[in-house]
Amino acid sequence: MRHLTLFFFACCLALCSPAMNQQGLAAHAAPFQAIASVDQGPDISETYLEEARQYREQGRYELARQSYVQALSTCRNSAVLEVIQRELAGVELLLRTMR
């Protein structure tokens, strides 16, 4: 079954490749380049960081870890990024110790 799927994919690729010349590829890539260059909105990592610190103070370490990861994924400032990574490492160490 897997070989049949791969064969089907290869056939579709062979049929579509003449239609997708360099102009076609450039036209399809242009919207994605525009999206990447536009500001993606407000930096919400501070909100997640405060939430994570509150959870940590309450002893809710799994929720704190989740909020730290969210803060890490949305952070745009390298100084704040280092703080988040340090605090996340501390919470992960607490979780490992408790288990």
Side-chain angles (χ1 to χ4, degrees):
M1 183 66 178
R2 183 175 177 196
H3 296 294
L4 184 59
T5 305
L6 290 173
F7 177 73
F8 178 72
F9 178 73
C11 289
C12 288
L13 188 61
L15 292 174
C16 294
S17 63
M20 294 299 280
N21 59 16
Q22 292 295 348
Q23 276 185 328
L25 290 175
H28 289 293
F32 296 111
Q33 291 171 350
I35 290 171
S37 65
V38 174
D39 186 21
Q40 297 293 328
D43 185 9
I44 59 173
S45 64
E46 294 291 331
T47 305
Y48 287 127
L49 183 59
E50 290 302 316
E51 183 179 81
R53 288 174 175 165
Q54 289 174 358
Y55 285 139
R56 188 185 64 204
E57 289 173 9
Q58 296 169 3
R60 302 170 77 181
Y61 300 118
E62 290 288 344
L63 290 172
R65 183 188 176 282
Q66 180 179 349
S67 293
Y68 277 122
V69 170
Q70 288 174 325
L72 192 65
S73 69
T74 58
C75 186
R76 295 184 189 165
N77 184 340
S78 62
V80 176
L81 184 71
E82 291 175 14
V83 170
I84 294 169
Q85 288 174 334
R86 255 193 333 264
E87 291 183 20
L88 176 60
V91 167
E92 288 179 338
L93 182 62
L94 281 168
L95 286 169
R96 275 188 299 223
T97 304
M98 293 174 69
R99 289 180 185 160

